[in-house]
Amino acid sequence: MKPFYLTTAIDYVNSLPHLGTTYEKVSADVLARFLRMEGYEVYFQMGNDEHSAGVQKEAEKQNLPVKKYCDGMRKKFEAIWKSLDISYDNFIQTSESRHHDCVKNFLKALKPEDVEKKPYEGWYCEGCEAFLMEKDLVDKKCANHKREPKWLHEENYYFLLSKYQQKLLDFYEKNPNFIVPAIRRNEVLNLVRSGLQDISISRSSFTWGIPFPEDPSHVVYVWFDALLNYLTAVGYGQENSENKKRFEKFWPASLHIVGKDITRFHCVIWPAMLMSANLPLPKTVFGHGFVSLKGEKMSKTLGNIVTPLDIVPHYGSDALRYYLLRESSFGSDGDFTWENFIKRYNSDLANDLGNLLNRTLGMSTKYLGGKIIKPSNTELSDEDRRLKKIVLETLSKVRESLDYLKSGDVNFHLALSAIWEIISTADKYIDTSAPWKLAKEEKKSDIQRILYNVLDTLRNLAILVAPFMPQASQKIWQQLGLSKILPWEKQCFENIAWEKTPDTFVGIGQPIFPRIETTQKEKAMETNDLIDITDFLKTDLRVAEIKLAEKIEGADKLLRLQVEVGGELRQIVAGIALHYKPEELIGKKVVVVANLKPAKIRGVESHGMLLAASDANGLSVLILDKIEISTGAKVK
Ligand code: MSP
């Protein structure tokens, strides 16, 4: 198997993970799971960065020895990462002795002429754990952490980074995939072209850290120590044959995933350090975007955080994983809002994926007693072929979307939207094939074939969503009755195929994504609160003409309408079938809510709502009496 060494940034432990740091770990986990399913031997490394001033301060605040505080935080971090199904292979604490050994050995391996002791003074930001230049300050504050840096004067050991300017530029030139996406590459190129300053690699005013081997009155500078975690994790500088073998197999790293604020440490200082120690350089550093809250970077220093603990215990880890990945590409920023989270959850997870599984299992039980048999007749109808095509085409779309070397980004959102196309095609397939109609006509073998095809589609879906939502994938697998035949853990993309589901027996399972209902309080507000005119004007009421009306098989109360609103044709599902015959409605001008978000009603897309009044005596659609009023006219 081809080795793949994947790392994330290691987190400062002065507070617990928030959605920003979580975004990075979840994204890396999806890639790790995806690559394992592609057949790679992945070594996925994560950990905690402990030797920072912020960490020491927090431990003092809590009256704990720093090491004890860090060990406690490790347990909390790991519990959170496990609750999010992050499948790392190794977790490091920088206070571990294996890391101390690695750092000491690495310092010895640096070219002696690259290290020098000299005095330095400048602005130091404890959030960044770095000296800032005057030009990096906005209103005398660090632009990232929005707080004033401290003026520090220290005599320290320096790594002569300035010597590496040309070597780095030559390296970037020869290795265009070293920095991804392009925006980060350009930032780094500009930074290096504008000249490099030597960097301090020790601190003397500070004691929490790894003692500097040459001079124990100093500790190693936290960033220098932290970057070396990537070497420690695969065994560098540790004396035993297992470590040596791991190092040979996995170094250089295939992909370092880090946030855009720390790309420069990974793309400038890190490669120069490795050059000086004569070690091979990582293949790629990916600088991802930020998760923000109301447009501001989510950060513990700024105090505007939502944490996985606010979400996972209530809605599950898959819901958070899905939401974080569904909104934007990995290279760009994304905003978190509760409103969007609930919308996405209810529409994509509860309605689309959850409902497809539920209705299929329901029909399989109702019409076939749960017994699903592979059809003997292999002839495919046009609908079968359409479904088969999309099922088989999607894997290559997912591969393409995640291929950062080709596209220069990781487009999780495109991969998920390609997978969701299978869901909408399968929904349409069920609606057109209408098993409920076939049941009335007693066409059992047709029902068998149709439900087999949908089940086979769900089996493929379970495989495709596995890297993104491992729990949902496993639940679908179990509910399809496949766990006894092929353990879910053995999934790989070779199993993506048409008609590969063996004969199986299914029951009606629990909904995998129960809908999030608005709370009682919110409901009460919806019904009791008065609204003002601006609230009312948010509803876009328009005149529409009904062009087509028909019953929806299997749904006694529903009519499918096609209406024309100002030249645009729309489909609306209306619950009026018990009160109107379809033919009575054609040509009538009615009022519709035109800005309602599209939704699926019994699997049929509905884009808008018809206005009607109803009480115990019946239901009456609002029909306009002046027929010449044009469609699209606004109703106020
Ligand atoms: N300890 C350093 C990294 C050392 S790696 C050798 C550090 N720690 S951190 O806890 O501040 O951040 C950890 C990771 O989370 C970084 O990659 C950082 O960019 C990322 N994020 C922190 N806040 C973030 C968002 N709001 N959004 C997305 N990622 C962000 O930096």
Side-chain angles (χ1 to χ4, degrees), residues 9-12 20-21 24 49 259 261-262 288 290-291 298 300:
I10 52 173
D11 298 349
Y12 293 131
T21 45
E24 177 176 283
D49 189 357
D261 53 337
I262 59 169
H288 62 76
F290 284 158
V291 175
M298 201 177 280
K300 43 206 165 200

Side-chain angles (χ1 to χ4, degrees), residues 414-564:
L414 296 184
L416 286 166
S417 102
I419 297 173
W420 253 246
E421 272 182 40
I422 302 184
I423 299 175
S424 61
T425 311
D427 264 330
K428 275 187 211 123
Y429 175 80
I430 297 175
D431 295 336
T432 348
S433 329
W436 46 91
K437 197 167 154 194
L438 299 171
K440 279 189 199 142
E441 294 161 8
E442 297 186 2
K443 291 183 171 164
K444 191 165 175 187
S445 69
D446 285 347
I447 300 179
Q448 262 170 348
R449 181 179 53 80
I450 288 155
L451 291 181
Y452 177 87
N453 287 342
V454 184
L455 245 96
D456 200 36
T457 303
L458 279 160
R459 182 188 61 80
N460 282 291
L461 272 171
I463 301 171
L464 287 167
V465 299
F468 301 90
M469 297 191 292
Q471 290 192 21
S473 164
Q474 195 162 8
K475 284 181 195 157
I476 299 173
W477 201 251
Q478 275 158 359
Q479 294 194 11
L480 297 182
L482 299 173
S483 305
K484 283 182 219 115
I485 305 159
L486 179 68
W488 175 81
E489 291 73 17
K490 296 248 158 74
Q491 271 332 322
C492 61
F493 291 129
E494 272 162 27
N495 291 334
I496 297 280
W498 186 248
E499 288 192 358
K500 212 181 169 185
T501 304
D503 294 353
T504 174
F505 202 81
V506 301
I508 300 181
Q510 290 291 316
I512 54 173
F513 293 107
R515 276 187 72 78
I516 303 177
E517 299 298 344
T518 43
T519 61
Q520 291 306 320
K521 192 170 149 225
E522 280 165 326
K523 270 189 197 148
M525 280 171 56
E526 271 164 30
T527 47
N528 295 336
D529 272 6
L530 295 175
I531 60 164
D532 63 26
I533 186 73
T534 50
D535 288 323
F536 172 72
L537 290 176
K538 282 184 196 154
T539 315
D540 190 13
L541 299 174
R542 299 277 170 172
V543 173
E545 184 177 339
I546 301 182
K547 296 284 187 191
L548 193 145
E550 60 181 21
K551 291 198 160 192
I552 296 180
E553 289 298 337
D556 299 339
K557 293 182 188 155
L558 300 181
L559 287 186
R560 188 177 80 82
L561 308 175
Q562 200 171 58
V563 301
E564 188 246 301

Side-chain angles (χ1 to χ4, degrees), residues 88-235:
Y88 51 85
D89 297 291
N90 183 63
F91 193 91
I92 196 170
Q93 284 179 259
T94 48
S95 58
E96 283 176 63
S97 64
R98 60 174 171 150
H99 185 58
H100 279 230
D101 293 346
C102 167
V103 173
K104 283 176 195 155
N105 286 326
F106 184 85
L107 280 165
K108 278 186 215 146
L110 288 178
K111 287 192 184 80
E113 63 273 23
D114 286 348
V115 179
E116 199 179 291
K117 195 174 182 186
K118 53 182 183 175
Y120 187 81
E121 53 183 9
W123 293 112
Y124 192 84
C125 169
E126 278 188 3
C128 298
E129 287 290 3
F131 280 102
L132 303 180
M133 313 242 272
E134 288 282 349
K135 68 174 172 62
D136 298 330
L137 304 178
V138 178
D139 290 337
K140 297 192 177 159
K141 290 183 179 159
C142 161
N144 245 330
H145 296 95
K146 310 262 187 296
R147 64 181 188 192
E148 282 183 15
K150 281 186 187 163
W151 185 259
L152 285 188
H153 175 93
E154 282 185 18
E155 186 174 51
N156 288 328
Y157 289 90
Y158 275 77
F159 174 66
L160 305 187
L161 183 64
S162 52
K163 292 198 332 200
Y164 282 86
Q165 182 184 20
Q166 196 50 49
K167 283 188 191 137
L168 285 168
L169 289 173
D170 293 344
F171 173 72
Y172 304 146
E173 169 96 34
K174 276 200 208 106
N175 298 275
N177 286 331
F178 177 63
I179 312 168
V180 183
I183 181 171
R184 302 280 105 80
R185 183 177 157 84
N186 293 337
E187 279 163 12
V188 171
L189 284 178
N190 288 339
L191 180 85
V192 177
R193 280 186 193 132
S194 70
L196 293 174
Q197 292 198 332
D198 300 336
I199 56 150
S200 152
I201 56 169
S202 78
R203 304 280 311 273
S204 53
S205 58
F206 195 66
T207 51
W208 167 238
I210 300 175
F212 206 75
E214 303 295 305
D215 184 348
S217 64
H218 287 240
V219 289
V220 177
Y221 168 53
V222 59
W223 263 104
F224 196 84
D225 145 5
L227 288 162
L228 289 168
N229 90 86
Y230 304 129
L231 288 181
T232 308
V234 283

Side-chain angles (χ1 to χ4, degrees), residues 212-463:
F212 206 75
E214 303 295 305
D215 184 348
S217 64
H218 287 240
V219 289
V220 177
Y221 168 53
V222 59
W223 263 104
F224 196 84
D225 145 5
L227 288 162
L228 289 168
N229 90 86
Y230 304 129
L231 288 181
T232 308
V234 283
Y236 174 84
Q238 296 146 73
E239 285 305 313
N240 74 43
S241 63
E242 207 183 299
N243 279 326
K244 284 205 171 102
K245 262 196 242 149
R246 189 174 317 126
F247 186 72
E248 266 160 36
K249 184 189 268 179
F250 289 108
W251 193 258
S254 318
L255 176 62
H256 289 313
I257 291 184
V258 298
K260 65 180 182 182
D261 53 337
I262 59 169
T263 316
R264 62 201 164 106
F265 291 94
H266 287 78
C267 297
V268 183
I269 302 176
W270 182 224
M273 282 163 65
L274 292 164
M275 282 176 187
S276 177
N278 210 10
L279 285 168
L281 269 49
K283 301 276 180 239
T284 302
V285 176
F286 192 104
H288 62 76
F290 284 158
V291 175
S292 56
L293 192 72
K294 296 188 189 134
E296 186 89 76
K297 179 200 173 197
M298 201 177 280
S299 127
K300 43 206 165 200
T301 321
L302 299 177
N304 58 341
I305 53 173
V306 177
T307 79
L309 295 172
D310 297 323
I311 298 178
V312 178
H314 311 286
Y315 310 112
S317 106
D318 283 344
L320 178 55
R321 291 170 67 105
Y322 179 80
Y323 178 79
L324 288 173
L325 302 171
R326 185 62 187 83
E327 296 282 306
S328 49
S329 76
F330 197 34
S332 319
D333 296 345
D335 204 50
F336 175 86
T337 68
W338 279 104
E339 200 189 354
N340 276 345
F341 172 76
I342 292 172
K343 267 192 207 152
R344 277 270 176 222
Y345 178 102
N346 278 342
S347 79
D348 300 8
L349 300 179
N351 280 3
D352 295 346
L353 180 58
N355 193 40
L356 176 66
L357 177 67
N358 269 355
R359 70 193 291 227
T360 308
L361 296 181
M363 285 187 287
S364 305
T365 316
K366 185 167 171 192
Y367 303 129
L368 303 172
K371 202 166 165 192
I372 299 293
I373 305 170
K374 196 168 170 171
S376 47
N377 177 1
T378 49
E379 217 174 285
L380 302 184
S381 68
D382 284 351
E383 280 80 26
D384 295 343
R385 256 191 287 276
R386 210 168 298 140
L387 186 60
K388 175 178 176 181
K389 185 165 177 277
I390 191 136
V391 166
L392 297 183
E393 271 175 6
T394 304
L395 177 59
S396 59
K397 288 190 194 157
V398 172
R399 283 184 169 137
E400 223 171 85
S401 308
L402 304 189
D403 190 345
Y404 56 90
L405 292 180
K406 260 206 192 131
S407 73
D409 208 334
V410 189
N411 291 305
F412 293 116
H413 66 306
L414 296 184
L416 286 166
S417 102
I419 297 173
W420 253 246
E421 272 182 40
I422 302 184
I423 299 175
S424 61
T425 311
D427 264 330
K428 275 187 211 123
Y429 175 80
I430 297 175
D431 295 336
T432 348
S433 329
W436 46 91
K437 197 167 154 194
L438 299 171
K440 279 189 199 142
E441 294 161 8
E442 297 186 2
K443 291 183 171 164
K444 191 165 175 187
S445 69
D446 285 347
I447 300 179
Q448 262 170 348
R449 181 179 53 80
I450 288 155
L451 291 181
Y452 177 87
N453 287 342
V454 184
L455 245 96
D456 200 36
T457 303
L458 279 160
R459 182 188 61 80
N460 282 291
L461 272 171
I463 301 171

